[in-house]
Amino acid sequence: MAGGEVSDSCSTSGLTSNSGHVGLTDPQKSPEDENLKSPASQDTQDLKSVLVTSVLNLEKLDVDLYRGTHHWVPRTQRLFGGQIIGQALVAAAKSVSDNFYVHSLHCYFVRAGDPKVPVLYQVDRTRDGRSFTVRSVKAIQHGQPILICQASFQKLQSSPLEHQFTMPSVPPPEDLLTTEELIHFHLSKPDLAENAKKGLNKLLANEVPIEIKPINPASFYRFAPSEPRRLFWGRARGHIGEGNTKLHCCVAAYVSDFALLGTAMLPYPKYRAEFSASLDHAMWFHNTFRSDEWMLYECESSWAGSSRGLVQARIWRRDGVLAASCSQEGVLRVKPVPEASKL
């Protein structure tokens, strides 16, 4: 099982000020908000994305054998599942011809990842067909698999059958604040409770290579019960550029694991995840996109029970084209939020 999905880091239910009032509004972006930008978002704006230079840059050890290192380790101190998925897809793509493009992947997390050692990726060339090619990848640590992934690649083919859902109507990302900017906004409040400051500063200390702009911050941070559905704009930090479709799919696979599972927690602000971990993850890629440009993530949880949650998501380009779909199930073991430390 992989850790690091941010369901609990977004569970700041009941954030209060010293006056006892709820400390969250839904601030919209204004000229003054430029001063709220965190140094991390400013410093990485014009730099090559660390997801390309470090996280997804695998070392080749032998034919179909690669080694990956870690960039960001969540507070759970287990490897981030999105990193393992992204690196596994990179390894699979390296064994496929340039005219084949990934259209789906299916992954099972079978053991927790150890952030103290690298991950080995062993690729099996399961099938090479004229239209479809399949690769199986094992992510290995300490001689045992921690993830099993199958990825299917297809040659581009035209078809008269084309349809998709309609993209939800939401404010553009330029009118919204990033999660870091929202945290700075609340830290600037003089009457913010001390326990709230500690919790927000812990979130701020996470140097995640992803930018997120929630459509509805109150829902995103679970300040009140809501439907198990949330929308947010997301993109990789830094610059990746055009032209490498496979690389953008690998980055999207990394990003897709970041905020899905927490959607199942939205109806339950009085609980926080004591333990959460991805069990399985599937993605389908529909159209080309750039993962370093804003894309809309439309997430909804159709079911939760037996200490598990199931979440589906659609990922939209800004022009309304459906770029990808994904589905994830994970473990969610919860405990009540103590009244004295609601964050």
XYZ file of all heavy atoms in Angstrom, residues 266-333:
557
model
N -15.244 13.876 2.501
C -15.934 15.164 2.547
C -17.224 15.164 3.371
O -17.515 16.165 4.034
C -16.220 15.654 1.119
C -14.992 16.022 0.280
C -15.415 16.491 -1.103
C -14.164 17.099 0.972
N -18.013 14.095 3.390
C -19.227 14.139 4.209
C -18.973 14.003 5.717
O -19.910 14.111 6.510
C -20.039 12.931 3.714
C -19.444 12.557 2.397
C -17.995 12.905 2.528
N -17.708 13.810 6.116
C -17.416 13.452 7.506
C -16.373 14.380 8.136
O -15.273 13.947 8.493
C -16.921 12.003 7.576
C -17.766 11.047 6.777
C -17.331 10.591 5.534
C -19.001 10.624 7.246
C -18.113 9.715 4.791
C -19.783 9.756 6.502
C -19.336 9.307 5.273
O -20.109 8.454 4.532
N -16.678 15.672 8.309
C -15.685 16.588 8.874
C -15.352 16.307 10.336
O -14.345 16.807 10.844
C -16.342 17.963 8.711
C -17.802 17.677 8.667
C -17.935 16.354 7.966
N -16.188 15.527 11.022
C -15.917 15.211 12.422
C -14.935 14.057 12.575
O -14.618 13.645 13.696
C -17.223 14.881 13.151
C -18.161 16.080 13.271
C -19.406 15.723 14.068
C -20.329 16.936 14.193
N -21.558 16.605 14.970
N -14.467 13.529 11.446
C -13.482 12.444 11.470
C -12.269 12.826 10.638
O -12.376 13.563 9.665
C -14.084 11.143 10.917
C -15.166 10.555 11.784
C -16.491 10.931 11.613
C -14.861 9.623 12.772
C -17.492 10.406 12.408
C -15.858 9.082 13.571
C -17.168 9.477 13.387
O -18.155 8.958 14.174
N -11.148 12.315 11.026
C -9.940 12.467 10.205
C -9.321 11.092 9.980
O -9.544 10.158 10.764
C -8.923 13.399 10.869
C -8.298 12.885 12.137
C -7.155 13.771 12.600
N -7.529 15.173 12.635
C -6.832 16.126 13.247
N -5.715 15.801 13.889
N -7.217 17.367 13.230
N -8.570 10.980 8.927
C -7.975 9.696 8.567
C -6.801 9.395 9.479
O -5.794 10.091 9.476
C -7.531 9.712 7.114
N -6.948 8.363 10.284
C -5.840 7.907 11.117
C -4.840 7.132 10.271
O -3.636 7.157 10.516
C -6.389 7.035 12.244
C -5.351 6.582 13.249
C -5.980 5.813 14.392
O -7.007 5.145 14.167
O -5.442 5.884 15.512
N -5.357 6.457 9.257
C -4.503 5.730 8.312
C -5.196 5.742 6.963
O -6.381 5.410 6.857
C -4.289 4.284 8.780
C -3.494 3.455 7.801
C -2.107 3.483 7.822
C -4.123 2.659 6.853
C -1.364 2.725 6.920
C -3.402 1.900 5.957
C -2.014 1.937 5.990
N -4.479 6.160 5.929
C -5.011 6.099 4.571
C -3.919 5.611 3.631
O -2.748 5.952 3.802
C -5.525 7.468 4.118
O -4.478 8.398 4.010
N -4.311 4.810 2.670
C -3.343 4.270 1.712
C -4.078 3.827 0.459
O -5.207 3.328 0.517
C -2.580 3.089 2.314
N -3.435 4.026 -0.678
C -3.999 3.587 -1.952
C -3.926 2.067 -2.045
O -2.923 1.457 -1.673
C -3.228 4.207 -3.117
O -3.201 5.609 -3.026
N -5.002 1.464 -2.549
C -5.022 0.029 -2.815
C -4.833 -0.260 -4.296
O -4.024 -1.101 -4.676
C -6.342 -0.580 -2.333
C -6.547 -0.661 -0.824
C -7.969 -1.105 -0.511
C -5.539 -1.601 -0.195
N -5.612 0.407 -5.128
C -5.443 0.250 -6.563
C -5.790 1.556 -7.260
O -6.480 2.421 -6.705
C -6.283 -0.906 -7.105
C -7.756 -0.748 -6.812
O -8.195 -1.184 -5.735
O -8.470 -0.176 -7.650
N -5.274 1.697 -8.471
C -5.373 2.963 -9.196
C -5.414 2.646 -10.684
O -4.604 1.861 -11.180
C -4.150 3.831 -8.871
C -4.271 5.257 -9.297
N -4.543 6.271 -8.400
C -4.149 5.847 -10.498
C -4.584 7.431 -9.045
N -4.343 7.192 -10.323
N -6.374 3.240 -11.382
C -6.483 3.033 -12.829
C -6.636 4.377 -13.523
O -7.240 5.309 -12.970
C -7.670 2.134 -13.163
N -6.068 4.490 -14.717
C -6.177 5.715 -15.512
C -6.433 5.357 -16.972
O -5.948 4.333 -17.465
C -4.907 6.569 -15.430
C -4.703 7.298 -14.127
S -3.414 8.565 -14.260
C -4.309 9.878 -15.113
N -7.193 6.235 -17.625
C -7.434 6.119 -19.059
C -7.132 7.471 -19.688
O -7.640 8.506 -19.220
C -8.889 5.729 -19.337
C -9.255 4.391 -18.767
C -9.244 3.188 -19.407
C -9.715 4.114 -17.435
N -9.651 2.185 -18.568
C -9.943 2.724 -17.354
C -9.928 4.913 -16.300
C -10.393 2.109 -16.178
C -10.372 4.303 -15.132
C -10.601 2.922 -15.089
N -6.302 7.477 -20.704
C -5.888 8.720 -21.351
C -6.650 8.876 -22.673
O -6.601 7.992 -23.528
C -4.381 8.704 -21.594
C -3.576 8.570 -20.321
C -3.156 7.313 -19.890
C -3.250 9.682 -19.558
C -2.430 7.177 -18.715
C -2.522 9.549 -18.380
C -2.119 8.294 -17.957
N -7.347 9.998 -22.833
C -8.251 10.177 -23.964
C -7.707 11.126 -25.034
O -7.873 10.877 -26.224
C -9.595 10.720 -23.479
C -10.161 9.984 -22.302
N -10.321 8.615 -22.290
C -10.593 10.426 -21.091
C -10.842 8.241 -21.120
N -11.019 9.318 -20.384
N -7.088 12.225 -24.616
C -6.611 13.244 -25.545
C -5.293 13.808 -25.054
O -4.935 13.683 -23.876
C -7.641 14.389 -25.673
C -8.885 13.969 -26.428
O -8.877 13.832 -27.648
N -9.980 13.751 -25.702
N -4.559 14.434 -25.957
C -3.277 15.027 -25.580
C -3.512 16.223 -24.658
O -4.559 16.870 -24.694
C -2.488 15.484 -26.813
O -3.275 16.436 -27.546
C -2.159 14.302 -27.704
N -2.522 16.506 -23.833
C -2.605 17.616 -22.873
C -1.200 17.951 -22.398
O -0.247 17.209 -22.660
C -3.483 17.227 -21.679
C -2.986 15.998 -20.944
C -2.067 16.096 -19.910
C -3.439 14.731 -21.311
C -1.609 14.965 -19.250
C -2.985 13.592 -20.666
C -2.067 13.715 -19.627
N -1.102 19.068 -21.699
C 0.148 19.452 -21.036
C -0.077 19.452 -19.534
O -0.941 20.172 -19.023
C 0.619 20.831 -21.505
C 1.301 20.808 -22.853
C 1.887 22.153 -23.214
N 2.802 22.670 -22.202
C 3.521 23.786 -22.343
N 3.414 24.494 -23.452
N 4.316 24.190 -21.386
N 0.689 18.649 -18.819
C 0.510 18.523 -17.378
C 1.065 19.720 -16.611
O 0.811 19.844 -15.408
C 1.183 17.244 -16.876
O 2.534 17.193 -17.309
N 1.832 20.605 -17.293
C 2.312 21.817 -16.626
C 1.385 23.001 -16.890
O 1.739 24.136 -16.575
C 3.746 22.145 -17.053
C 3.905 22.301 -18.556
O 2.956 21.956 -19.304
O 4.969 22.770 -18.997
N 0.222 22.751 -17.477
C -0.806 23.772 -17.630
C -2.005 23.381 -16.768
O -2.224 22.203 -16.471
C -1.223 23.901 -19.100
C -0.109 24.435 -19.988
C -0.556 24.624 -21.435
O -1.608 24.047 -21.816
O 0.146 25.318 -22.184
N -2.780 24.390 -16.375
C -3.907 24.124 -15.484
C -4.907 23.180 -16.130
O -5.326 23.374 -17.263
C -4.611 25.438 -15.115
C -3.821 26.335 -14.224
C -3.304 27.561 -14.536
C -3.449 26.088 -12.862
N -2.636 28.092 -13.457
C -2.705 27.208 -12.420
C -3.677 25.038 -11.974
C -2.189 27.311 -11.130
C -3.155 25.119 -10.691
C -2.432 26.244 -10.283
N -5.282 22.130 -15.382
C -6.344 21.219 -15.785
C -7.333 21.082 -14.634
O -6.944 21.136 -13.454
C -5.779 19.852 -16.186
C -4.946 19.904 -17.457
S -4.709 18.268 -18.213
C -3.727 17.464 -16.964
N -8.588 20.904 -14.970
C -9.638 20.799 -13.962
C -9.830 19.340 -13.564
O -10.060 18.482 -14.403
C -10.951 21.370 -14.493
C -12.131 21.333 -13.511
C -11.884 22.273 -12.342
C -13.427 21.679 -14.229
N -9.746 19.088 -12.263
C -9.967 17.756 -11.705
C -11.365 17.716 -11.103
O -11.668 18.460 -10.167
C -8.913 17.426 -10.654
C -7.550 17.147 -11.226
C -6.764 18.175 -11.755
C -7.030 15.853 -11.260
C -5.515 17.922 -12.306
C -5.780 15.595 -11.801
C -5.034 16.633 -12.323
O -3.802 16.380 -12.856
N -12.215 16.862 -11.642
C -13.582 16.692 -11.174
C -13.662 15.329 -10.476
O -13.660 14.285 -11.122
C -14.553 16.747 -12.358
C -16.007 16.581 -11.978
C -16.919 16.458 -13.197
O -16.396 16.365 -14.331
O -18.139 16.445 -13.007
N -13.712 15.339 -9.154
C -13.617 14.115 -8.369
C -14.933 13.845 -7.645
O -15.564 14.774 -7.121
C -12.502 14.221 -7.330
S -10.896 14.746 -7.978
N -15.342 12.588 -7.588
C -16.528 12.212 -6.836
C -16.366 10.795 -6.312
O -15.752 9.944 -6.957
C -17.787 12.330 -7.695
C -17.746 11.554 -8.988
C -18.916 11.891 -9.901
O -19.684 12.805 -9.553
O -19.055 11.236 -10.938
N -16.903 10.587 -5.114
C -16.833 9.273 -4.482
C -18.215 8.641 -4.531
O -19.167 9.151 -3.929
C -16.355 9.397 -3.035
O -16.389 8.142 -2.375
N -18.329 7.535 -5.227
C -19.617 6.859 -5.378
C -19.930 5.921 -4.230
O -21.081 5.505 -4.051
C -19.636 6.077 -6.695
O -18.560 5.139 -6.733
N -18.911 5.588 -3.415
C -19.125 4.604 -2.354
C -18.012 4.690 -1.329
O -16.854 4.973 -1.648
C -19.154 3.196 -2.955
C -19.273 2.087 -1.947
C -20.409 1.565 -1.418
C -18.179 1.376 -1.334
N -20.104 0.561 -0.515
C -18.743 0.432 -0.445
C -16.792 1.451 -1.440
C -17.969 -0.437 0.327
C -16.013 0.591 -0.673
C -16.602 -0.350 0.196
N -18.382 4.424 -0.059
C -17.409 4.216 1.011
C -17.998 3.216 1.990
O -19.206 3.210 2.259
C -17.071 5.524 1.717
N -17.160 2.356 2.539
C -17.595 1.346 3.493
C -16.473 0.371 3.760
O -15.482 0.312 3.011
N -16.605 -0.403 4.850
C -15.604 -1.433 5.189
C -14.193 -0.859 5.260
O -13.225 -1.511 4.860
C -15.648 -2.591 4.172
O -16.915 -3.217 4.185
N -14.106 0.402 5.731
C -12.812 1.098 5.847
C -12.128 1.288 4.499
O -10.902 1.349 4.404
C -11.862 0.364 6.809
O -12.386 0.384 8.124
N -12.945 1.391 3.414
C -12.417 1.675 2.097
C -13.246 2.785 1.467
O -14.411 2.997 1.819
C -12.448 0.442 1.179
C -11.757 -0.784 1.720
C -11.533 -1.853 0.650
N -12.653 -2.072 -0.222
C -13.676 -2.888 0.042
N -13.729 -3.535 1.196
N -14.656 -3.052 -0.829
N -12.646 3.487 0.534
C -13.360 4.497 -0.229
C -13.023 4.367 -1.698
O -11.887 4.031 -2.063
N -14.021 4.623 -2.555
C -13.837 4.552 -4.002
C -14.091 5.926 -4.602
O -15.109 6.565 -4.312
C -14.806 3.528 -4.606
C -14.784 3.373 -6.134
C -13.445 2.813 -6.597
C -15.939 2.479 -6.594
N -13.167 6.388 -5.428
C -13.254 7.726 -6.019
C -12.993 7.632 -7.516
O -12.079 6.922 -7.957
C -12.233 8.697 -5.377
C -12.354 10.083 -5.999
C -12.441 8.777 -3.866
N -13.812 8.341 -8.281
C -13.586 8.482 -9.722
C -13.289 9.945 -10.022
O -13.742 10.842 -9.310
C -14.814 8.029 -10.520
C -15.154 6.562 -10.379
C -16.093 6.287 -9.217
O -16.772 7.176 -8.729
N -16.120 5.047 -8.759
N -12.549 10.183 -11.095
C -12.213 11.560 -11.464
C -12.146 11.701 -12.971
O -11.760 10.764 -13.685
C -10.878 11.978 -10.840
N -12.546 12.873 -13.424
C -12.351 13.272 -14.818
C -11.400 14.465 -14.817
O -11.536 15.386 -13.999
C -13.687 13.621 -15.477
C -14.558 12.420 -15.747
C -15.848 12.788 -16.465
N -16.817 13.386 -15.554
C -17.701 12.681 -14.842
N -17.715 11.361 -14.929
N -18.569 13.289 -14.067
N -10.462 14.453 -15.750
C -9.443 15.502 -15.832
C -9.638 16.238 -17.150
O -9.543 15.641 -18.229
C -8.023 14.900 -15.733
C -7.896 14.043 -14.461
C -6.976 16.005 -15.728
C -6.605 13.268 -14.370
N -9.919 17.542 -17.039
C -10.309 18.352 -18.200
C -9.229 19.355 -18.568
O -8.628 19.988 -17.699
C -11.584 19.135 -17.878
C -12.765 18.313 -17.506
C -13.130 17.899 -16.250
C -13.752 17.780 -18.402
N -14.281 17.160 -16.299
C -14.690 17.063 -17.616
C -13.928 17.852 -19.791
C -15.791 16.432 -18.164
C -15.030 17.210 -20.335
C -15.945 16.510 -19.533
N -9.014 19.505 -19.875
C -8.223 20.631 -20.363
C -9.052 21.905 -20.245
O -10.294 21.867 -20.168
C -7.833 20.426 -21.829
C -6.835 19.327 -22.032
C -6.269 19.244 -23.438
N -7.054 19.817 -24.519
C -7.001 19.407 -25.786
N -6.203 18.388 -26.102
N -7.722 19.980 -26.723
N -8.387 23.043 -20.276
C -9.090 24.316 -20.130
C -10.065 24.575 -21.273
O -11.056 25.292 -21.095
C -8.095 25.471 -20.044
C -7.307 25.493 -18.754
C -6.575 26.791 -18.553
N -7.493 27.920 -18.418
C -7.130 29.124 -17.997
N -5.860 29.347 -17.679
N -8.002 30.094 -17.891
N -9.808 23.989 -22.442
C -10.690 24.228 -23.584
C -11.897 23.286 -23.599
O -12.632 23.221 -24.582
C -9.921 24.107 -24.902
C -9.277 22.730 -25.094
O -9.441 21.861 -24.200
O -8.615 22.527 -26.124
N -12.117 22.542 -22.488
C -13.287 21.686 -22.375
C -13.111 20.280 -22.891
O -14.066 19.493 -22.888
N -11.910 19.923 -23.319
C -11.642 18.577 -23.818
C -11.321 17.654 -22.643
O -10.525 18.009 -21.760
C -10.470 18.588 -24.823
C -10.035 17.165 -25.178
C -10.861 19.349 -26.079
N -11.952 16.484 -22.623
C -11.678 15.502 -21.583
C -10.327 14.848 -21.859
O -10.157 14.137 -22.850
C -12.780 14.445 -21.546
C -12.681 13.406 -20.426
C -12.723 14.046 -19.048
C -13.786 12.357 -20.568
N -9.353 15.105 -20.992
C -7.994 14.625 -21.209
C -7.789 13.210 -20.689
O -7.140 12.381 -21.328
C -6.991 15.573 -20.544
N -8.345 12.924 -19.498
C -8.117 11.619 -18.884
C -9.210 11.339 -17.858
O -9.909 12.244 -17.405
C -6.741 11.566 -18.216
N -9.349 10.071 -17.519
C -10.237 9.640 -16.440
C -9.443 8.729 -15.521
O -8.494 8.065 -15.953
C -11.447 8.879 -16.981
O -12.171 9.653 -17.905
N -9.808 8.701 -14.244
C -9.118 7.792 -13.339
C -10.050 7.325 -12.239
O -11.102 7.925 -11.972
C -7.852 8.414 -12.759
S -8.066 9.978 -11.939
N -9.660 6.243 -11.602
C -10.432 5.652 -10.525
C -9.462 5.108 -9.494
O -8.405 4.564 -9.846
C -11.330 4.528 -11.069
O -12.128 3.985 -10.056
N -9.824 5.262 -8.216
C -8.928 4.833 -7.154
C -9.727 4.311 -5.971
O -10.762 4.878 -5.607
C -8.042 5.997 -6.684
C -7.035 5.627 -5.604
C -6.227 6.828 -5.150
O -6.784 7.852 -4.781
N -4.912 6.715 -5.187
N -9.252 3.213 -5.389
C -9.801 2.734 -4.123
C -8.681 2.713 -3.106
O -7.532 2.385 -3.430
C -10.404 1.336 -4.270
C -11.128 0.877 -3.009
C -11.764 -0.493 -3.158
O -11.104 -1.399 -3.710
O -12.908 -0.655 -2.711
N -9.025 3.064 -1.876
C -8.002 3.103 -0.847
C -8.558 2.765 0.523
O -9.769 2.761 0.753
N -7.649 2.481 1.441
C -7.996 2.245 2.838
C -8.221 3.579 3.527
O -7.433 4.522 3.359
C -6.876 1.472 3.558
C -7.203 1.304 5.041
C -6.655 0.125 2.910
N -9.292 3.683 4.305
C -9.571 4.878 5.103
C -9.984 4.425 6.504
O -11.146 4.059 6.732
C -10.687 5.716 4.465
C -10.322 6.500 3.209
C -11.573 7.088 2.580
C -9.325 7.619 3.541
N -9.032 4.435 7.421
C -9.345 4.151 8.826
C -9.358 5.492 9.554
O -8.373 6.233 9.512
C -8.323 3.201 9.428
C -8.303 1.841 8.736
C -7.508 0.805 9.506
N -7.528 -0.477 8.812
C -6.477 -1.012 8.213
N -5.307 -0.395 8.234
N -6.575 -2.189 7.602
